[in-house]
Amino acid sequence: MTEEQLAKQKANGSESDDTICTADLTDDEILEGLNLLLIGDSIAVDVTDDFYEMFPNSVSDTKIGRITSLGKQVLDSYIDEKKWEGEGVIFASLSNSPINGELEDIREKIGKDMPLFLTTVRIPHDTFEEESNSKIKKFVEENNHTYLIDWYAASEGHDEYFDADDTHLLPAGAKAYAKCIKEAVLAAYKKENIEIPKSRLSSGADTSTDSSNASSTDSNTDSSNDNRTDTSTE
């Protein structure tokens, strides 16, 4: 799926001169037109189908057990080797290990102007939950073009979102997680007002404003406290 999405983006003319600003698009057109890169661990694995339904021109690279430092390595490979060129990064590989400088490295890697989205974590049986969420929120506050997807707050009190370990997602939780991503992305790109190729939009040249505006390949060996079976294609 990852390679297919990359090929699809090239076919859709990611460097086309015929572009349109996100401020001139409806919500659905923004979601359809953006080329985002989601780097995630097992929590995001559960959201893959919902993510692609919402963001058909984006790429999701998720893997069970992926720790934060290896998530950064995966991001490096997309930029340095696969030559991914999109409009933003969603980094959701934060649940399996403490954060040790990776956020600064990610921000530097993608450039100071590209939107970066960071997800808070709900891992009640790990000692670093509170520290990680504190670091994530502080980093978002202190860096421009950096946005919070506050899964911790959105999932508070929703036992129906989680399986027995209180961390991994049931279908209701996956949809709620995807909704958090959607809301954060829409809010950010209405503010950022960036240009995207018209060729990605199924509506073609129709840019009327809607007033309502109502899995993966990873050659690294990941080690973590996540022991669930990996169903991704290696």
Side-chain angles (χ1 to χ4, degrees):
M1 176 64 77
T2 298
E3 298 303 326
E4 289 176 4
Q5 288 298 106
L6 290 171
K8 178 181 177 182
Q9 290 165 10
K10 292 179 181 179
N12 284 347
S14 60
E15 297 182 0
S16 170
D17 291 330
D18 193 10
T19 61
I20 185 170
C21 293
T22 51
D24 297 322
L25 298 174
T26 66
D27 285 3
D28 287 343
E29 288 170 334
I30 292 173
L31 299 175
E32 178 186 9
L34 286 171
N35 171 7
L36 304 179
L37 174 58
L38 169 63
I39 302 292
D41 53 31
S42 58
I43 312 305
V45 166
D46 295 330
V47 188
T48 300
D49 290 343
D50 294 292
F51 180 82
Y52 277 129
E53 183 177 350
M54 227 180 284
F55 300 96
N57 280 298
S58 293
V59 174
S60 173
D61 192 315
T62 61
K63 182 178 174 68
I64 291 174
R66 180 179 284 160
I67 61 175
T68 304
S69 60
L70 290 181
K72 169 58 171 54
Q73 291 180 24
V74 173
L75 173 63
D76 291 347
S77 74
Y78 271 90
I79 295 175
D80 297 335
E81 300 168 20
K82 299 179 181 179
K83 306 303 180 184
W84 172 85
E85 293 182 350
E87 289 84 46
V89 171
I90 303 171
F91 195 82
S93 185
L94 296 160
S95 298
N96 289 311
S97 62
I99 299 170
N100 294 301
E102 291 89 356
L103 303 184
E104 290 80 4
D105 293 341
I106 292 166
R107 181 73 272 176
E108 181 178 358
K109 185 68 180 183
I110 68 175
K112 62 183 179 63
D113 296 327
M114 178 177 284
L116 170 64
F117 299 84
L118 300 173
T119 60
T120 53
V121 297
R122 180 167 291 280
I123 42 175
H125 302 300
D126 287 297
T127 58
F128 54 87
E129 179 192 68
E130 183 176 355
E131 180 183 3
S132 290
N133 285 336
S134 178
K135 286 183 177 180
I136 291 166
K137 291 178 181 179
K138 185 173 186 291
F139 189 82
V140 169
E141 292 172 357
E142 294 178 348
N143 288 270
N144 294 328
H145 307 291
T146 307
Y147 300 93
L148 187 69
I149 299 174
D150 199 351
W151 174 238
Y152 182 85
S155 60
E156 180 69 27
H158 288 281
D159 294 342
E160 73 276 13
Y161 288 173
F162 303 100
D163 67 13
D165 66 2
D166 301 319
T167 296
H168 293 97
L169 305 179
L170 298 173
K175 291 190 178 302
Y177 194 103
K179 181 181 178 183
C180 283
I181 295 176
K182 174 183 176 180
E183 291 175 348
V185 166
L186 286 173
Y189 285 99
K190 288 174 184 178
K191 175 183 176 182
E192 294 280 345
N193 191 23
I194 65 168
E195 293 184 348
I196 59 176
K198 288 182 181 179
S199 57
R200 296 196 197 135
L201 303 177
S202 59
S203 58
D206 181 9
T207 59
S208 58
T209 302
D210 182 354
S211 59
S212 64
N213 252 4
S215 335
S216 93
T217 55
D218 182 0
S219 59
N220 298 297
T221 300
D222 294 0
S223 59
S224 74
N225 56 6
D226 188 335
N227 296 317
R228 301 207 310 167
T229 302
D230 187 351
T231 59
S232 61
T233 301
E234 295 295 340

